[in-house]
Amino acid sequence: MGFARACSVALVGVEGVVVEVQADLEAGVAAFTLVGLPDKSLIESRDRVRAAVVNSGAEWPQKKLTVGLSPASVPKGGSGFDLAVACSVLGAAERIDPASIADVVMIGELGLDGRVRPVRGVLPAVLAAAEAGYRQVVVPEQTAGEAALVPGVSVLGVRSLRQLIAVLCDEPVPDEPKDEGEGRPDTMLAGLLVPGAGSGTGLVRRTGRGDGGAADLADVAGQELPRKALEVAAAGGHHLMLSGPPGAGKTMLAERLAGILPELTQREALEVTAVHSVAGLLPPGEPLITRAPYCAPHHSATMQSLVGGGNGVPRPGAVSLAHRGILFLDEAPEFSVRALDSLRQPLESGHVVVARSAGVVRLPARFLLVLAANPCPCGRHSLDGAGCECPPSAVRRYQARLSGPLLDRVDLRVSVGRVGREDLMGQGGRGESTAAVAARVRAARTRAAERLAGTGWTTNSEVPGHELRTRLVAAPGALLEAEHDMERGLLTARGLDRVLRVAWTVADLRGADRPDAGDVAMALELRTGIPRGAPVKAGAS
């Protein structure tokens, strides 16, 4: 009789649970039993592991073999347990020393020829192993860079089971050539991507233009107030709604917001990378995402595709793919009311809890929401001489698709007017570039981070209203106009708190210690659309 154990990780959403893979050999009729609540893909590992062991030059034990996955109450799925199962079996058969694998976490799929294939979710799996106290992990060579992002963990990247056996037995490590056919993609990377998703979905790509995004804010003609709203949204993490006729530049503005957001911190980068790794959207060769993601689902998206779902254990939706970045809903009234209202809870909490028959998953969802909407189905409502033929009832129904509770959670609501001839032809002067605006946003974020140090909050949009009314107070008399709007019913209690948050961001952009009446007036104008004095140009102090 022989016994050995190794470790692997079961992912539930983006959180991992360390699983002990135990192998027991007993005298009897040769059989392979796998227990511990495995799914179908994990049950099939019996055939993969047997073929991989034999083709790696090791002898398969002809005894009664039982492999247990503990804790047995946690659902387990995927092919990432293959490597741990194979090593535990070889340890029970005394081909390798059982003590050498007892405290090693192994993640990887095995091909029938013994090659180790990469799997999704390596980063959150290694993070879970590190939190559980494990310090040695074995992963496929292609994902070693991703696993090495976790501090305090020794990572071994292997190309085949033969190499791992040689390392564990202190034998010469065989050289395994890479499977690279000329003119064809590397088939070993296929397991990292969800089919049809593309390798760069939801990510902002660098272009070498110095702004970190794909387009420059200077390309937007005119639109001073919307540009200011974009800057305030980026500096404070405030949700934004752009409403106006087609062709006014709403989508152009939203697409350039990602370029003025600062780079992610190390902790934020690990969070975002973990989500994209589980979702199969992590680009090969880029183990760490350092730029804020940008996710723009089509208006036909379902509620499940937005908040997460799917068969079995729920998978991340658009709100999680946009974590620490931007979720842009173009043509927002065209989304289903059910899908839009599902955003209300994650907008407040910064996470989403999805319950399915296979389990309950908590997914991160702290994103910056940007809505773009036309004033009516044809888009020409309220434009002089535009010839809108939508009946009043149709206009009301169209605008009512964005519910009051959802809009109450949007800090900035800006009207984007038609672009004038002078601005479009460049006669009105070129607007500021993304690099110039991004520099002010970084400075404002730094001021906010210093003020909020030790609180657990990093941006003004995260500060609770109670703190804004008791500890982080505005200048004396600054809130008189906001209080008057609340008495008239223009602001709710939540709306007043959000005006205070925006006012702090406006003050940070101009370098002030706390907001005054002018900052609150600008915050009110950006929320209600009612002008409060002379318009403030982007970057004005």
Side-chain angles (χ1 to χ4, degrees):
M1 184 180 72
F3 176 84
R5 64 183 179 91
C7 294
S8 191
V9 178
L11 288 177
V12 183
V14 295
E15 298 178 354
V17 178
V18 176
V19 173
E20 189 174 275
V21 182
Q22 304 170 340
D24 177 71
L25 283 174
E26 297 180 357
V29 178
F32 188 171
T33 304
L34 184 64
V35 297
L37 211 56
D39 70 352
K40 184 172 178 57
S41 62
L42 184 49
I43 291 175
E44 293 175 348
S45 69
R46 295 178 299 184
D47 300 316
R48 291 194 300 269
V49 169
R50 182 187 291 109
V53 169
V54 172
N55 291 325
S56 298
E59 182 180 353
W60 184 260
Q62 298 301 315
K63 295 182 179 181
K64 182 181 178 181
L65 170 63
T66 303
V67 174
L69 308 174
S70 180
S73 59
V74 177
K76 305 166 191 71
S79 56
F81 292 87
D82 289 2
L83 204 57
V85 171
C87 287
S88 63
V89 170
L90 292 173
E94 298 183 351
R95 171 63 179 86
I96 58 179
D97 183 8
S100 64
I101 60 173
D103 295 319
V104 179
V105 175
M106 302 181 182
I107 305 164
E109 175 186 335
L110 285 175
L112 300 184
D113 57 354
R115 290 183 302 169
V116 181
R117 304 179 67 94
V119 295
R120 298 192 296 267
V122 166
L123 176 59
V126 177
L127 283 170
E131 291 175 359
Y134 292 87
R135 292 294 174 261
Q136 289 183 307
V137 297
V138 178
V139 297
E141 184 182 56
Q142 294 87 342
T143 57
E146 184 180 344
L149 296 173
V150 182
V153 175
S154 175
V155 179
L156 173 63
V158 294
R159 200 174 295 172
S160 69
L161 181 60
R162 283 182 291 270
Q163 288 186 336
L164 180 56
I165 294 174
V167 171
L168 294 174
C169 296
D170 198 19
E171 299 172 355
V173 179
D175 184 26
E176 297 285 354
K178 292 185 177 181
D179 182 22
E180 294 182 348
E182 185 176 353
R184 73 183 187 198
D186 187 356
T187 58
M188 296 293 287
L189 300 178
L192 296 177
L193 303 176
V194 173
S199 61
T201 302
L203 303 182
V204 177
R205 317 294 284 175
R206 288 190 177 274
T207 61
R209 298 176 60 175
D211 54 21
D216 200 297
L217 193 58
D219 299 335
V220 180
Q223 308 295 6
E224 291 187 3
L225 187 61
R227 288 170 61 97
K228 178 64 178 179
L230 215 67
E231 182 177 339
V232 172
H238 305 288
H239 306 305
L240 170 66
M241 178 177 175
L242 302 171
S243 59
K250 302 186 295 296
T251 303
M252 284 187 67
L253 287 163
E255 290 175 344
R256 284 150 181 77
L257 177 57
I260 63 177
L261 288 176
E263 288 199 353
L264 302 174
T265 64
Q266 182 69 16
R267 182 176 67 86
E268 292 171 344
L270 289 176
E271 292 176 2
V272 173
T273 303
V275 174
H276 283 75
S277 178
V278 169
L281 297 176
L282 191 62
E286 296 184 21
L288 184 66
I289 297 175
T290 59
R291 297 292 303 178
Y294 175 87
C295 189
H298 190 260
H299 62 255
S300 62
T302 63
M303 184 187 72
Q304 289 77 11
S305 67
L306 287 180
V307 301
N311 297 327
V313 178
R315 301 192 64 80
V319 296
S320 297
L321 296 179
H323 180 59
R324 301 294 181 184
I326 301 165
L327 177 64
F328 176 46
L329 302 186
D330 201 2
E331 307 292 346
E334 299 293 343
F335 284 78
S336 70
V337 175
R338 188 165 175 250
L340 289 172
D341 284 342
S342 68
L343 301 176
R344 287 154 55 177
Q345 184 263 340
L347 283 175
E348 289 286 343
S349 63
H351 65 269
V352 60
V353 178
V354 184
R356 294 292 184 270
S357 59
V360 179
V361 173
R362 184 181 187 274
L363 299 169
R366 187 166 296 282
F367 56 90
L368 195 164
L369 176 65
V370 180
L371 303 172
N374 294 328
C376 67
C378 75
R380 297 189 294 271
H381 181 67
S382 75
L383 293 180
D384 296 336
C388 175
E389 298 179 354
C390 300
S393 59
V395 176
R396 287 195 299 270
R397 284 196 303 270
Y398 186 79
Q399 295 178 351
R401 296 178 72 89
L402 299 176
S403 66
L406 175 63
L407 291 180
D408 199 36
R409 291 167 167 81
V410 179
D411 305 338
L412 314 173
R413 310 175 198 167
V414 180
S415 177
V416 183
R418 287 190 299 181
V419 180
R421 178 181 58 84
E422 291 186 356
D423 289 330
L424 187 61
M425 304 307 294
Q427 299 173 8
R430 182 176 173 85
E432 286 185 296
S433 67
T434 292
V437 178
R440 289 198 301 271
V441 168
R442 287 194 298 270
R445 288 246 181 162
T446 301
R447 291 182 63 87
E450 293 174 352
R451 181 174 63 250
L452 301 174
T455 63
W457 312 307
T458 56
T459 60
N460 293 322
S461 63
E462 301 173 13
V463 182
H466 174 74
E467 293 289 324
L468 295 170
R469 294 188 297 270
T470 57
R471 189 169 68 89
L472 301 174
V473 296
L479 298 178
L480 291 178
E481 192 169 2
E483 293 170 354
H484 183 56
D485 280 5
M486 186 175 178
E487 292 177 354
R488 292 191 298 164
L490 295 177
L491 285 177
T492 63
R494 180 192 288 121
L496 179 61
D497 290 343
R498 292 186 176 274
V499 166
L500 285 173
R501 294 168 183 167
V502 174
W504 272 102
T505 301
V506 175
D508 287 335
L509 284 170
R510 67 182 183 88
D513 293 332
R514 58 178 177 171
D516 57 16
D519 299 324
V520 175
M522 170 54 63
L524 286 169
E525 180 175 351
L526 291 173
R527 180 174 180 86
T528 64
I530 302 174
R532 313 292 174 118
V536 179
K537 295 185 178 181
S541 58

